[in-house]
Amino acid sequence: MYINQISVFVENKPGKLSELTNFIAEKNINMRALEVADASDYGIIRFIVDDPFTMLNELKENDWVCNLTKVIGVKIPDEPGALAKVSNILADAGISVEYCYAFISKEDNNAIMVFKVDENEMVVDILKNKDVTLISQDEIANI
């Protein structure tokens, strides 16, 4: 149970985020989440869309430097302590989180946490065994 995240590598210059988001809008792809990480010269724009394979193909056909990464989506209540509960499960299992970000589900006002970890299958099993609600790519498309 994974979500397909697209990462686009862009120069850290004014207008690059606008250029990318305009491109996505022109392709009529609905963006669900966005995270930007920057360095001095280049940044990584990570996002989740309703149709990742179409978006990835469009980006590559138009010379964007990008890739697809499988990440784990976890649905948690939008309330204090909910993220701490999931973080504690991962910490207790010795799981290192490379990065994470969140967005709110408009259908039920839950938070969706996106986690990038090394051992996806193992983490999915751990979270399922602790009754954590995972979210799939198909569910993302229907939010």
Side-chain angles (χ1 to χ4, degrees):
M1 180 163 300
Y2 307 107
I3 298 172
N4 295 301
Q5 169 192 270
I6 297 173
S7 299
V8 179
F9 303 90
V10 296
E11 284 184 276
N12 195 0
K13 291 185 176 178
K16 290 300 181 177
L17 178 60
S18 175
E19 186 179 334
L20 177 62
T21 56
N22 283 320
F23 180 81
I24 293 169
E26 289 167 8
K27 301 303 177 183
N28 201 32
I29 301 288
N30 197 359
M31 191 180 315
R32 304 297 186 203
L34 172 79
E35 189 263 345
V36 179
D38 70 334
S40 59
D41 294 330
Y42 285 88
I44 302 171
I45 301 172
R46 297 180 177 106
F47 54 94
I48 295 174
V49 296
D50 56 348
D51 189 352
F53 298 107
T54 298
M55 185 76 262
L56 188 69
N57 288 334
E58 290 285 351
L59 288 163
K60 287 184 176 185
E61 287 175 6
N62 287 276
D63 299 323
W64 291 90
V65 178
C66 57
N67 67 19
L68 190 76
T69 304
K70 293 204 178 295
V71 292
I72 296 173
V74 175
K75 187 182 284 192
I76 60 175
D78 184 20
E79 62 188 31
L83 177 57
K85 180 181 174 183
V86 175
S87 296
N88 290 337
I89 292 169
L90 297 174
D92 291 347
I95 303 299
S96 179
V97 175
E98 187 174 325
Y99 59 82
C100 66
Y101 53 97
F103 61 101
I104 299 294
S105 169
K106 63 184 176 185
E107 72 179 16
D108 58 10
N109 291 323
N110 282 315
I112 308 296
M113 288 300 306
V114 176
F115 291 96
K116 170 64 171 86
V117 296
D118 285 334
E119 303 281 338
N120 277 343
E121 290 179 32
M122 181 177 71
V123 172
V124 165
D125 289 341
I126 290 167
L127 294 173
K128 281 183 180 178
N129 288 334
K130 296 291 186 176
D131 295 320
V132 174
T133 303
L134 299 170
I135 189 164
S136 68
Q137 182 66 48
D138 289 338
E139 291 170 298
I140 290 290
N142 294 318
I143 291 177

